[in-house]
Structures are given as structure tokens and as C-alpha cells.
Amino acid sequence: MTITMQLQKVVLDVQYTLVYSISKIIFTALIMTLVVSSSMYAQEKKIHKLPSGPEGPGEFGAYYARLEYDPVWDKDWRIGDHPDIVVRFEDGAHKFVFWRGTSYIPSWVSENGIWYTNEFVERRDVHSSNTTSIVEPMSDKQCRYSQVRIIENNDARVVVHWRYAPVDVTYEHPFIDQETGWFDWVDEYYTIYPNAKGVRKITAHSSNLTKWMEFQEAIVINQPGTLPHENIQNEAISIANMAGEHITYVWDENGAPFFDKNPSRANIFKVNLKSKWHPFALVSQPKAFDNLITPYRGTGKNSFFNWWDHWPVSQDASDGRGAESADRPSHSSLGHIALAIDPPVDSWGTYGYHTVIRNKALQWTATDWGALDLMFKKPENLKGGITLSFDYANLWTSDIKLIMYDRASEITKDIELKKLGTGFKLHNKGFNTYTADIMLEDYQGDANLESMYEIYLEIAGSENPKTFSLDNLRLASKTHGFVYDLDFNKPDGTMIESLNLPDKAQWEPYAKTKNSVTKLMLHGMTTGTVEDLVPFARSWEHPATLLLSGNDFINEGYDPTEMAYVLKAESDQTSTVALTLKASAANPVIDPAFIVKHWGDKPFHIKLNGNALENGKDYRFGYRKTLQGTDLILWLDMERTNGEDQIAIEPF
């Protein structure tokens, strides 16, 4: 090797060493930058779980608390030290929580932190002239009109009162009385016993009880950092009737199935979470109706389940925002009690109208806004346009709109049909046909046209009741082969169930006045199957007979609003309460509760069939002080499906 070649090699080695060293420095700096950036991003995106109090079981009772969530979120709240309520149980780590981050909408929380709620009273914005979005406590982001307080709190039971005024996202109230200034208010009383079962008593006060009203929706709240299917089993809902017949429905890529195989007159459901403890709800059995429990359709991004993140926690003025990621809390809706849909084809129903089949057509009588609601069997691609047609007679208005929903419940803009196609001929007794070709891309809004699954045909009302006929509704995709046909072939006189009118949805009111309606629902947590809940349901719907001995007490009967037998002392000189419970399979005794009015605060012993019971193990008790006196509240841990039991409450 020549000297020149050696010098060239030395220069190349030096250059390589310098380049390598510089590259290593740059690479190391880049890695350090990424690590720091990742760390900062992780801090910015720190997951804050929804708070429900201490982990694990706790002494049964209701506790005022200040549940801390995210320091950034917490700092804006102008509250004291006891804004929230947590109910704890001794046999498990599940809880019942009233938290301001859910607008105090009460939630069952499983032992592993999955939240669930049975919703609230909801109204439609279109029914009140001043409201512009769904009217519900979800929209009360600052809890301006949502309040909770503990009414009773003892070893035997807890009673919590939740009072709220449904509002839209601008805090407008529906149905404001022009004379008094009162608007809609709701009182809900939750009576909870040590076995994590209880009664939800709902009283809605309104100047207009004839318009659409929703009382229940099965909603799972997803913790931030989790997708819906990480909290909910695909076998999401199990349904049963009072005979113990049951079915479990499975979600798939099309979302919820139609609940078309419900047992006859089913009234019980259980939500199957990915947890040990599962929430349930039940109401009185409908008289003759198989679709009391219906699904909430649709799917969301990356999940078989729908999910939205405008609630909980969010302070944004929104009543419906499909979730794009799991970086914030979200919720998924699974089904309803008494969103009564009678599905002859796919699934459909009417809002706001009296509807009946006459001459093989749907006769629609209206005094106000109404809509025909149609859902497809699965999401459909409607890009490229649709052809819509239907036959009509005696139509009094051309104010008819079409609104379409995608699988995530995002909607199109209103499509005013009078401006399209053939237009409408009014007041014609004979049938006319409306036809229009509609490019949905012109009205897309937030909807995903490749995944459409529901349509509303909205029709303006009339100051005086008027009736028109509708038949042969057809919606066809112009490019993808999908066709939806709906005619009305049921026998004349068939009543079509209206959706969610307070007195039309087969969830019978417990009480009703001119300006209020009250409904009852049992709810709680269970580790059993849905059919295991049947005896519990029977013990409330058809309680065992109670016979009272002696003349010192009056038997006031079973009170379903408190899930308790009520006795009343005739005098202050309280003697032994001697009673008999006669149980059967149809009228079982499941963890009975008793209220003895005017008992006072006297100590006592309890005997069951002559055997002394142990406080805290066999029974629990508490006292309720009222202006009329002190009542004894008693809860027994016992079950009987056949035979008689003698119970004695002996003062000493």
C-alpha cells in the first residue's frame, strides 16, 4: 500500500468515525426526545377512572362524599364537601352511586368498576316549542336542576331522593305552564335493602303528559381507556317472564339483534357485564304484550356496541356525539323497557299518533307532531341515492320530513319532501302516490351513508284531530340493491302501539293525576341468572299473604313502592306483633321487609317459628322518625316458596 493510499484510508476512517459519532448522537437525542415526548403525552393523557369510593365491601349504608375525579375537571365545580352519595354493601364490592359527573343519574357499579344506569325521564325537543335538543338530565352538565339527598339511612335500608328537571343542552325547560311558570320536574325515590335490591319510584310532573316520555334505558358507562366490548359480554342481555321462560340475545357486527324471540309477556332483564355482579331491572308484567323489552340498535366505531362520549363528565353542550376513541368516558345503550314497538316487518312504530289498521292501510290520527319510525335488519349502504314512495289519502299538510340515522345514531339533515318529487295533493279522499329520487349526499350531515339503519317520517300535527291513511311505503337504494317494503296487512281494527306515551307503553302507571304519572321498577345487582330473579319478582308482584293476630295492630297491606309489608300500632302501648306469612311458588317470600308505624324506639326480640333470630345475621332493623311518630323498619334474610312462617316481634 502506498503512502497516498494509507493517507486516504486514514481520512476515510476519520470521516466514517465522525459520521458514525454524529449519527449516534443525533439518534440518541431523537430517542431521548421521543421518550420525553411520550412521557409528557402519557401525563397529558393520564387515565382517570370514574370515582365510586373505597374499593372492596363496606358497612351497608349511604354515605355523603366528595368523589374526586380529574384535578382539571374537579377544579371548576362550585360545591361543598358532601355533593355525592355512595351506597355500600357488605357482601361484595359493588356499589350504588349518585355522582355529579353523571348529573347524579344513579349508577350501579360492579366490583371491577363497570358502571350501569337505568336512565331517567326523557322528553322530545320537538314537542315543546322552546327546546332544541333532547330534554333530559344528561344535558344538565352542571347539575343546576339535579339534586340528591339521603332520606333514610339505617341497618335495614337506605332511601335516596333524586329530584331533577329535564333540560335541553341550553338549559331550556319543556312545557312551561303559562299561568304558574312551572315546568317539568321529576322525583325519584330509591329504596335499597342490604341484598342490593330495591325499588325505583318515579314520579314525573308535567303540564303535558300526553306527549312522548321515556322512563328507562339500559345504559352501560364505559370507563375511560376501555371499549364497550371490554365491559359488556356479546351475550349482552338476558330476558325472562314470570313463568321463568328466558332467552339471551347476542350482539354481532350489526349490533343488537331484534328482540323477536322474547318469552310471552317478558318483564325481567339482566345485563351481562364482564364482572361477577350484574345489574338487572324488572317491572310489572304487561297484560298482553310481548315487546315490553326492546333493543337499542346500532354499532359504534371498533365495537359491536353503540357508544357515545357526550356523557358522562363532558361539559360540552351536546346530546349525541359518537365516540371516536376510548380516551374519555363513554356510554353504550342496550335496550329499553316500554319503548313499545310492534314489529310486523323489520321493526317500526309510531310516535305521537293514534294509529289503527283500516281497509288494509294505516290510519293515522294526529293532534300534534308525530313520526313513523322504521329500522332495517342491518346497516345498509345508501350512497348514490334512494327512491322513496308511499300511498296516502286525506292528507291535511305537506309539512312532511324524512330524517335518517346511521348505525352510530348520527343523523342526516331534515329532508323536506314537499320540495322533492311529485309533491303532495291535500284533502283527497282517494289514494295518491308520492315518489321522489333523493340524493342523500345533499343532506348527509354527520351521517355515514354507508351504514344507514333507521328512518323517521315526520309529519306536522293539527290543532284539531285529523286522520289520514298511509300504505305501501317503499325505500330502495339506487345503486346497492337494498329495498325496504312496508304494507299493512293486519286485520282491520288492529291497534298499533304508540311509542312511549306515558299511558300507552304497557308499563302500567302505579298512580296518575292531572299533572303527574308514577311508575315503579325493581332493580339491583345479582350474581345469578335471569331466571333466578323470577321468585323475587313474584314476591313483589304477588306478595305472600300476611295474617295478623290480635287487635293491637292494623295490617295496611303490602306497599310495592317500599317493597314492604306495612303494619300500624293502634296505641303507644306496643305489644307483641304476631303475624303469619303464607308462601307458595306463585307467592313466595324473598327477604321480606316490614314497616311497623308508631312502634317507637323500644328494643325487641324477633322469633321465627319459635326460634330466636340474631340481629345482623338473620335480620336488620332501623328506626324512621316522622312528625307522627317513630316507625320500626325491619328486613329479614329469609326465603320461603311453600308453607307458613310464624313471626313474632316482642318488645322488652
Side-chain angles (χ1 to χ4, degrees), residues 531-564:
E531 59 268 31
D532 291 338
L533 294 166
V534 172
F536 171 62
R538 291 176 183 166
S539 74
W540 176 71
E541 178 101 329
H542 307 291
T545 300
L546 183 148
L547 301 177
L548 191 59
S549 300
N551 299 316
D552 293 335
F553 296 88
I554 298 174
N555 181 0
E556 295 190 343
Y558 185 84
D559 185 350
T561 71
E562 300 196 72
M563 214 165 75

mmCIF file of all heavy atoms in Angstrom, residues 531-564:
data_model
loop_
_atom_site.group_PDB
_atom_site.id
_atom_site.type_symbol
_atom_site.label_atom_id
_atom_site.label_comp_id
_atom_site.label_asym_id
_atom_site.label_seq_id
_atom_site.Cartn_x
_atom_site.Cartn_y
_atom_site.Cartn_z
ATOM 1 N N GLU A 531 -83.331 -16.111 35.209
ATOM 2 C CA GLU A 531 -84.467 -16.879 35.724
ATOM 3 C C GLU A 531 -84.451 -16.987 37.240
ATOM 4 O O GLU A 531 -85.502 -17.208 37.867
ATOM 5 C CB GLU A 531 -84.535 -18.265 35.074
ATOM 6 C CG GLU A 531 -83.311 -19.140 35.270
ATOM 7 C CD GLU A 531 -82.293 -19.006 34.151
ATOM 8 O OE1 GLU A 531 -82.190 -17.910 33.567
ATOM 9 O OE2 GLU A 531 -81.606 -20.008 33.876
ATOM 10 N N ASP A 532 -83.267 -16.807 37.850
ATOM 11 C CA ASP A 532 -83.196 -16.796 39.311
ATOM 12 C C ASP A 532 -83.938 -15.607 39.910
ATOM 13 O O ASP A 532 -84.258 -15.608 41.107
ATOM 14 C CB ASP A 532 -81.735 -16.749 39.778
ATOM 15 C CG ASP A 532 -80.975 -18.028 39.482
ATOM 16 O OD1 ASP A 532 -81.627 -19.085 39.319
ATOM 17 O OD2 ASP A 532 -79.737 -17.983 39.402
ATOM 18 N N LEU A 533 -84.193 -14.583 39.098
ATOM 19 C CA LEU A 533 -84.874 -13.386 39.582
ATOM 20 C C LEU A 533 -86.389 -13.541 39.623
ATOM 21 O O LEU A 533 -87.088 -12.693 40.182
ATOM 22 C CB LEU A 533 -84.523 -12.191 38.698
ATOM 23 C CG LEU A 533 -83.059 -11.743 38.732
ATOM 24 C CD1 LEU A 533 -82.769 -10.789 37.574
ATOM 25 C CD2 LEU A 533 -82.735 -11.080 40.059
ATOM 26 N N VAL A 534 -86.899 -14.616 39.040
ATOM 27 C CA VAL A 534 -88.351 -14.785 38.954
ATOM 28 C C VAL A 534 -89.017 -14.860 40.332
ATOM 29 O O VAL A 534 -90.012 -14.164 40.574
ATOM 30 C CB VAL A 534 -88.703 -16.014 38.095
ATOM 31 C CG1 VAL A 534 -90.199 -16.312 38.156
ATOM 32 C CG2 VAL A 534 -88.269 -15.771 36.649
ATOM 33 N N PRO A 535 -88.529 -15.675 41.281
ATOM 34 C CA PRO A 535 -89.172 -15.673 42.608
ATOM 35 C C PRO A 535 -89.166 -14.296 43.266
ATOM 36 O O PRO A 535 -90.155 -13.908 43.906
ATOM 37 C CB PRO A 535 -88.336 -16.683 43.403
ATOM 38 C CG PRO A 535 -87.748 -17.584 42.375
ATOM 39 C CD PRO A 535 -87.471 -16.701 41.191
ATOM 40 N N PHE A 536 -88.075 -13.555 43.096
ATOM 41 C CA PHE A 536 -88.010 -12.199 43.650
ATOM 42 C C PHE A 536 -89.087 -11.324 43.014
ATOM 43 O O PHE A 536 -89.782 -10.560 43.703
ATOM 44 C CB PHE A 536 -86.619 -11.620 43.407
ATOM 45 C CG PHE A 536 -86.480 -10.159 43.724
ATOM 46 C CD1 PHE A 536 -86.669 -9.688 45.007
ATOM 47 C CD2 PHE A 536 -86.154 -9.256 42.724
ATOM 48 C CE1 PHE A 536 -86.539 -8.329 45.296
ATOM 49 C CE2 PHE A 536 -86.023 -7.903 42.997
ATOM 50 C CZ PHE A 536 -86.221 -7.441 44.284
ATOM 51 N N ALA A 537 -89.231 -11.430 41.697
ATOM 52 C CA ALA A 537 -90.265 -10.647 41.014
ATOM 53 C C ALA A 537 -91.653 -11.027 41.504
ATOM 54 O O ALA A 537 -92.509 -10.155 41.729
ATOM 55 C CB ALA A 537 -90.152 -10.854 39.504
ATOM 56 N N ARG A 538 -91.898 -12.310 41.680
ATOM 57 C CA ARG A 538 -93.210 -12.751 42.165
ATOM 58 C C ARG A 538 -93.479 -12.260 43.582
ATOM 59 O O ARG A 538 -94.617 -11.915 43.922
ATOM 60 C CB ARG A 538 -93.278 -14.280 42.130
ATOM 61 C CG ARG A 538 -93.305 -14.892 40.743
ATOM 62 C CD ARG A 538 -93.264 -16.401 40.830
ATOM 63 N NE ARG A 538 -93.213 -17.041 39.522
ATOM 64 C CZ ARG A 538 -92.902 -18.320 39.329
ATOM 65 N NH1 ARG A 538 -92.617 -19.086 40.373
ATOM 66 N NH2 ARG A 538 -92.890 -18.816 38.110
ATOM 67 N N SER A 539 -92.427 -12.237 44.415
ATOM 68 C CA SER A 539 -92.622 -11.814 45.809
ATOM 69 C C SER A 539 -93.054 -10.355 45.895
ATOM 70 O O SER A 539 -93.640 -9.931 46.903
ATOM 71 C CB SER A 539 -91.337 -12.032 46.613
ATOM 72 O OG SER A 539 -90.344 -11.073 46.283
ATOM 73 N N TRP A 540 -92.772 -9.581 44.850
ATOM 74 C CA TRP A 540 -93.182 -8.172 44.790
ATOM 75 C C TRP A 540 -94.505 -8.003 44.040
ATOM 76 O O TRP A 540 -95.405 -7.322 44.507
ATOM 77 C CB TRP A 540 -92.081 -7.372 44.095
ATOM 78 C CG TRP A 540 -92.370 -5.928 43.864
ATOM 79 C CD1 TRP A 540 -92.436 -4.940 44.803
ATOM 80 C CD2 TRP A 540 -92.608 -5.294 42.603
ATOM 81 N NE1 TRP A 540 -92.705 -3.726 44.214
ATOM 82 C CE2 TRP A 540 -92.806 -3.910 42.861
ATOM 83 C CE3 TRP A 540 -92.662 -5.746 41.286
ATOM 84 C CZ2 TRP A 540 -93.059 -2.999 41.840
ATOM 85 C CZ3 TRP A 540 -92.907 -4.832 40.272
ATOM 86 C CH2 TRP A 540 -93.105 -3.476 40.551
ATOM 87 N N GLU A 541 -94.616 -8.657 42.905
ATOM 88 C CA GLU A 541 -95.831 -8.543 42.092
ATOM 89 C C GLU A 541 -97.016 -9.257 42.736
ATOM 90 O O GLU A 541 -98.155 -8.780 42.686
ATOM 91 C CB GLU A 541 -95.555 -9.123 40.696
ATOM 92 C CG GLU A 541 -96.755 -9.089 39.791
ATOM 93 C CD GLU A 541 -96.709 -7.951 38.791
ATOM 94 O OE1 GLU A 541 -96.138 -6.896 39.116
ATOM 95 O OE2 GLU A 541 -97.241 -8.114 37.694
ATOM 96 N N HIS A 542 -96.741 -10.402 43.360
ATOM 97 C CA HIS A 542 -97.791 -11.194 44.012
ATOM 98 C C HIS A 542 -97.301 -11.610 45.398
ATOM 99 O O HIS A 542 -96.968 -12.780 45.629
ATOM 100 C CB HIS A 542 -98.130 -12.427 43.174
ATOM 101 C CG HIS A 542 -98.465 -12.116 41.746
ATOM 102 N ND1 HIS A 542 -99.615 -11.463 41.377
ATOM 103 C CD2 HIS A 542 -97.778 -12.353 40.595
ATOM 104 C CE1 HIS A 542 -99.644 -11.316 40.062
ATOM 105 N NE2 HIS A 542 -98.538 -11.845 39.562
ATOM 106 N N PRO A 543 -97.233 -10.669 46.339
ATOM 107 C CA PRO A 543 -96.643 -10.976 47.651
ATOM 108 C C PRO A 543 -97.451 -12.005 48.423
ATOM 109 O O PRO A 543 -98.674 -12.137 48.250
ATOM 110 C CB PRO A 543 -96.658 -9.617 48.364
ATOM 111 C CG PRO A 543 -97.729 -8.835 47.681
ATOM 112 C CD PRO A 543 -97.706 -9.271 46.249
ATOM 113 N N ALA A 544 -96.740 -12.756 49.257
ATOM 114 C CA ALA A 544 -97.386 -13.756 50.106
ATOM 115 C C ALA A 544 -98.392 -13.082 51.031
ATOM 116 O O ALA A 544 -98.229 -11.922 51.433
ATOM 117 C CB ALA A 544 -96.338 -14.506 50.913
ATOM 118 N N THR A 545 -99.418 -13.812 51.380
ATOM 119 C CA THR A 545 -100.450 -13.282 52.275
ATOM 120 C C THR A 545 -99.899 -13.130 53.689
ATOM 121 O O THR A 545 -99.224 -14.028 54.202
ATOM 122 C CB THR A 545 -101.667 -14.214 52.298
ATOM 123 O OG1 THR A 545 -102.194 -14.311 50.972
ATOM 124 C CG2 THR A 545 -102.750 -13.693 53.234
ATOM 125 N N LEU A 546 -100.190 -12.000 54.304
ATOM 126 C CA LEU A 546 -99.810 -11.759 55.699
ATOM 127 C C LEU A 546 -101.069 -11.750 56.547
ATOM 128 O O LEU A 546 -102.018 -10.996 56.258
ATOM 129 C CB LEU A 546 -99.058 -10.435 55.842
ATOM 130 C CG LEU A 546 -98.532 -10.088 57.241
ATOM 131 C CD1 LEU A 546 -97.235 -9.284 57.135
ATOM 132 C CD2 LEU A 546 -99.555 -9.283 58.051
ATOM 133 N N LEU A 547 -101.091 -12.580 57.593
ATOM 134 C CA LEU A 547 -102.192 -12.625 58.553
ATOM 135 C C LEU A 547 -101.694 -12.090 59.883
ATOM 136 O O LEU A 547 -100.626 -12.475 60.358
ATOM 137 C CB LEU A 547 -102.703 -14.055 58.711
ATOM 138 C CG LEU A 547 -103.213 -14.738 57.430
ATOM 139 C CD1 LEU A 547 -103.614 -16.178 57.720
ATOM 140 C CD2 LEU A 547 -104.377 -13.959 56.831
ATOM 141 N N LEU A 548 -102.458 -11.201 60.476
ATOM 142 C CA LEU A 548 -102.064 -10.534 61.711
ATOM 143 C C LEU A 548 -102.959 -11.007 62.848
ATOM 144 O O LEU A 548 -104.192 -11.029 62.712
ATOM 145 C CB LEU A 548 -102.180 -9.025 61.536
ATOM 146 C CG LEU A 548 -101.581 -8.113 62.598
ATOM 147 C CD1 LEU A 548 -100.089 -8.369 62.749
ATOM 148 C CD2 LEU A 548 -101.827 -6.660 62.218
ATOM 149 N N SER A 549 -102.353 -11.376 63.978
ATOM 150 C CA SER A 549 -103.105 -11.821 65.152
ATOM 151 C C SER A 549 -103.298 -10.654 66.119
ATOM 152 O O SER A 549 -102.445 -9.770 66.238
ATOM 153 C CB SER A 549 -102.366 -12.963 65.863
ATOM 154 O OG SER A 549 -102.198 -14.062 64.998
ATOM 155 N N GLY A 550 -104.434 -10.679 66.846
ATOM 156 C CA GLY A 550 -104.673 -9.661 67.864
ATOM 157 C C GLY A 550 -105.257 -8.386 67.295
ATOM 158 O O GLY A 550 -105.427 -8.227 66.082
ATOM 159 N N ASN A 551 -105.524 -7.433 68.202
ATOM 160 C CA ASN A 551 -106.178 -6.183 67.836
ATOM 161 C C ASN A 551 -105.308 -4.953 68.074
ATOM 162 O O ASN A 551 -105.790 -3.826 67.953
ATOM 163 C CB ASN A 551 -107.483 -6.039 68.624
ATOM 164 C CG ASN A 551 -108.456 -7.162 68.331
ATOM 165 O OD1 ASN A 551 -108.647 -7.549 67.175
ATOM 166 N ND2 ASN A 551 -109.076 -7.708 69.385
ATOM 167 N N ASP A 552 -104.046 -5.174 68.418
ATOM 168 C CA ASP A 552 -103.186 -4.036 68.743
ATOM 169 C C ASP A 552 -102.554 -3.388 67.517
ATOM 170 O O ASP A 552 -101.995 -2.288 67.611
ATOM 171 C CB ASP A 552 -102.077 -4.474 69.706
ATOM 172 C CG ASP A 552 -102.627 -4.861 71.060
ATOM 173 O OD1 ASP A 552 -103.726 -4.364 71.401
ATOM 174 O OD2 ASP A 552 -101.979 -5.657 71.763
ATOM 175 N N PHE A 553 -102.638 -4.083 66.375
ATOM 176 C CA PHE A 553 -102.023 -3.564 65.148
ATOM 177 C C PHE A 553 -103.003 -3.687 63.984
ATOM 178 O O PHE A 553 -103.866 -4.571 63.972
ATOM 179 C CB PHE A 553 -100.736 -4.321 64.819
ATOM 180 C CG PHE A 553 -99.651 -4.152 65.845
ATOM 181 C CD1 PHE A 553 -99.574 -5.008 66.936
ATOM 182 C CD2 PHE A 553 -98.726 -3.131 65.730
ATOM 183 C CE1 PHE A 553 -98.585 -4.847 67.887
ATOM 184 C CE2 PHE A 553 -97.737 -2.961 66.675
ATOM 185 C CZ PHE A 553 -97.665 -3.813 67.761
ATOM 186 N N ILE A 554 -102.848 -2.804 63.031
ATOM 187 C CA ILE A 554 -103.638 -2.834 61.800
ATOM 188 C C ILE A 554 -102.730 -3.265 60.649
ATOM 189 O O ILE A 554 -101.612 -2.772 60.507
ATOM 190 C CB ILE A 554 -104.235 -1.450 61.493
ATOM 191 C CG1 ILE A 554 -105.188 -1.020 62.602
ATOM 192 C CG2 ILE A 554 -104.962 -1.457 60.156
ATOM 193 C CD1 ILE A 554 -105.696 0.397 62.428
ATOM 194 N N ASN A 555 -103.214 -4.177 59.850
ATOM 195 C CA ASN A 555 -102.490 -4.615 58.658
ATOM 196 C C ASN A 555 -102.878 -3.692 57.502
ATOM 197 O O ASN A 555 -103.993 -3.754 56.991
ATOM 198 C CB ASN A 555 -102.842 -6.067 58.336
ATOM 199 C CG ASN A 555 -102.087 -6.589 57.119
ATOM 200 O OD1 ASN A 555 -101.298 -5.887 56.501
ATOM 201 N ND2 ASN A 555 -102.345 -7.841 56.770
ATOM 202 N N GLU A 556 -101.965 -2.817 57.091
ATOM 203 C CA GLU A 556 -102.235 -1.885 55.992
ATOM 204 C C GLU A 556 -101.838 -2.452 54.634
ATOM 205 O O GLU A 556 -101.937 -1.760 53.619
ATOM 206 C CB GLU A 556 -101.526 -0.555 56.246
ATOM 207 C CG GLU A 556 -102.052 0.181 57.479
ATOM 208 C CD GLU A 556 -101.514 1.598 57.595
ATOM 209 O OE1 GLU A 556 -100.498 1.923 56.922
ATOM 210 O OE2 GLU A 556 -102.106 2.387 58.348
ATOM 211 N N GLY A 557 -101.400 -3.720 54.615
ATOM 212 C CA GLY A 557 -101.123 -4.380 53.354
ATOM 213 C C GLY A 557 -99.688 -4.231 52.886
ATOM 214 O O GLY A 557 -98.828 -3.684 53.574
ATOM 215 N N TYR A 558 -99.450 -4.727 51.702
ATOM 216 C CA TYR A 558 -98.106 -4.685 51.104
ATOM 217 C C TYR A 558 -97.970 -3.416 50.274
ATOM 218 O O TYR A 558 -98.829 -3.104 49.441
ATOM 219 C CB TYR A 558 -97.886 -5.913 50.231
ATOM 220 C CG TYR A 558 -96.493 -6.033 49.666
ATOM 221 C CD1 TYR A 558 -95.470 -6.604 50.415
ATOM 222 C CD2 TYR A 558 -96.197 -5.575 48.382
ATOM 223 C CE1 TYR A 558 -94.181 -6.718 49.902
ATOM 224 C CE2 TYR A 558 -94.912 -5.695 47.860
ATOM 225 C CZ TYR A 558 -93.914 -6.262 48.630
ATOM 226 O OH TYR A 558 -92.641 -6.373 48.118
ATOM 227 N N ASP A 559 -96.902 -2.674 50.485
ATOM 228 C CA ASP A 559 -96.647 -1.439 49.748
ATOM 229 C C ASP A 559 -95.549 -1.683 48.711
ATOM 230 O O ASP A 559 -94.365 -1.781 49.056
ATOM 231 C CB ASP A 559 -96.215 -0.330 50.703
ATOM 232 C CG ASP A 559 -96.055 1.020 50.011
ATOM 233 O OD1 ASP A 559 -96.092 1.046 48.759
ATOM 234 O OD2 ASP A 559 -95.887 2.034 50.704
ATOM 235 N N PRO A 560 -95.911 -1.796 47.422
ATOM 236 C CA PRO A 560 -94.890 -2.077 46.393
ATOM 237 C C PRO A 560 -93.902 -0.939 46.203
ATOM 238 O O PRO A 560 -92.810 -1.152 45.690
ATOM 239 C CB PRO A 560 -95.721 -2.316 45.131
ATOM 240 C CG PRO A 560 -96.994 -1.578 45.371
ATOM 241 C CD PRO A 560 -97.254 -1.671 46.843
ATOM 242 N N THR A 561 -94.254 0.287 46.607
ATOM 243 C CA THR A 561 -93.328 1.414 46.462
ATOM 244 C C THR A 561 -92.175 1.326 47.447
ATOM 245 O O THR A 561 -91.142 1.982 47.251
ATOM 246 C CB THR A 561 -94.045 2.762 46.655
ATOM 247 O OG1 THR A 561 -94.405 2.918 48.026
ATOM 248 C CG2 THR A 561 -95.288 2.855 45.797
ATOM 249 N N GLU A 562 -92.348 0.546 48.520
ATOM 250 C CA GLU A 562 -91.279 0.370 49.501
ATOM 251 C C GLU A 562 -90.833 -1.084 49.608
ATOM 252 O O GLU A 562 -89.936 -1.397 50.374
ATOM 253 C CB GLU A 562 -91.738 0.874 50.869
ATOM 254 C CG GLU A 562 -92.117 2.332 50.876
ATOM 255 C CD GLU A 562 -92.203 2.905 52.275
ATOM 256 O OE1 GLU A 562 -91.141 3.090 52.905
ATOM 257 O OE2 GLU A 562 -93.330 3.151 52.733
ATOM 258 N N MET A 563 -91.495 -1.960 48.833
ATOM 259 C CA MET A 563 -91.184 -3.390 48.853
ATOM 260 C C MET A 563 -91.301 -3.922 50.286
ATOM 261 O O MET A 563 -90.437 -4.657 50.758
ATOM 262 C CB MET A 563 -89.775 -3.632 48.297
ATOM 263 C CG MET A 563 -89.625 -4.932 47.524
ATOM 264 S SD MET A 563 -88.102 -4.958 46.543
ATOM 265 C CE MET A 563 -86.864 -5.217 47.808
ATOM 266 N N ALA A 564 -92.408 -3.552 50.969
ATOM 267 C CA ALA A 564 -92.526 -3.865 52.391
ATOM 268 C C ALA A 564 -93.990 -4.045 52.791
ATOM 269 O O ALA A 564 -94.893 -3.395 52.234
ATOM 270 C CB ALA A 564 -91.905 -2.752 53.230
#
